[in-house]
Amino acid sequence: MNITSGYAIGIIGIAICVLLCGIGSAIGLYKTGSAAAGVLGEDPKKFGKVLVLVLLPATQGIYGFIIGIIASSSLVDGMVAAQGWALLGKVLPMALSGLVTGIFQGKSSANCIYAVGKQESLGGKLIIYPAMIEFYAILGLIISIML
């Protein structure tokens, strides 16, 4: 097997998808975890209010993992380059949307966590803002599944 074989191209595509989604989630979780640590340092009773906001960016990593598993079932020994490129193209919507939405969802969630720190009653209302970003990660997931 050489680097230009379809199998190798497909593996690279799957790896890119899983890695980019994981990176997006890790960056997002870094931001939310840092924000939550600050808020909980002042009032540990707000743990339940900020927990969902902290965890929201983790979904992109899960979505990337799901696409990686689904796409790996398309890998067959002896794939031609065109099949490998097609597989890479199938996973790219999730890869790119997972990276970008993970980062921005983390930023949005962190700001919502800070707001909960100031006014606890906003917790349930604020989840809608990072959830709107989640919608675009879900669209990337659906498109990659459909392809």
Side-chain angles (χ1 to χ4, degrees):
M1 173 175 57
N2 62 39
I3 195 71
T4 59
S5 76
Y7 190 82
I9 295 167
I11 287 177
I12 290 168
I14 293 169
I16 287 170
C17 179
V18 174
L19 286 170
L20 289 182
C21 289
I23 289 168
S25 281
I27 293 170
L29 288 167
Y30 165 74
K31 293 177 181 305
T32 59
S34 298
V39 168
L40 295 176
E42 293 196 17
D43 187 359
K45 294 177 187 172
K46 294 180 180 171
F47 177 78
K49 296 280 186 182
V50 301
L51 182 60
V52 174
L53 290 166
V54 169
L55 295 176
L56 274 174
T59 57
Q60 283 78 350
I62 296 168
Y63 299 158
F65 183 72
I66 290 168
I67 292 301
I69 291 172
I70 292 170
S72 67
S73 68
S74 299
L75 287 171
V76 285
D77 202 22
M79 290 173 65
V80 297
Q83 291 171 306
W85 285 112
L87 182 56
L88 188 142
K90 290 175 184 181
V91 300
L92 276 181
M94 186 66 251
L96 297 176
S97 68
L99 173 67
V100 173
T101 60
I103 293 168
F104 285 107
Q105 190 174 52
K107 289 180 178 186
S108 175
S109 292
N111 287 325
C112 292
I113 290 167
Y114 294 137
V116 169
K118 291 181 179 185
Q119 190 171 350
E120 189 173 352
S121 64
L122 292 175
K125 296 173 185 167
L126 292 174
I127 198 166
I128 191 68
Y129 300 117
M132 290 188 301
I133 299 168
E134 181 79 17
F135 175 72
Y136 291 96
I138 292 170
L139 290 180
L141 175 69
I142 292 169
I143 292 299
S144 285
I145 290 172
M146 287 175 43
L147 292 175

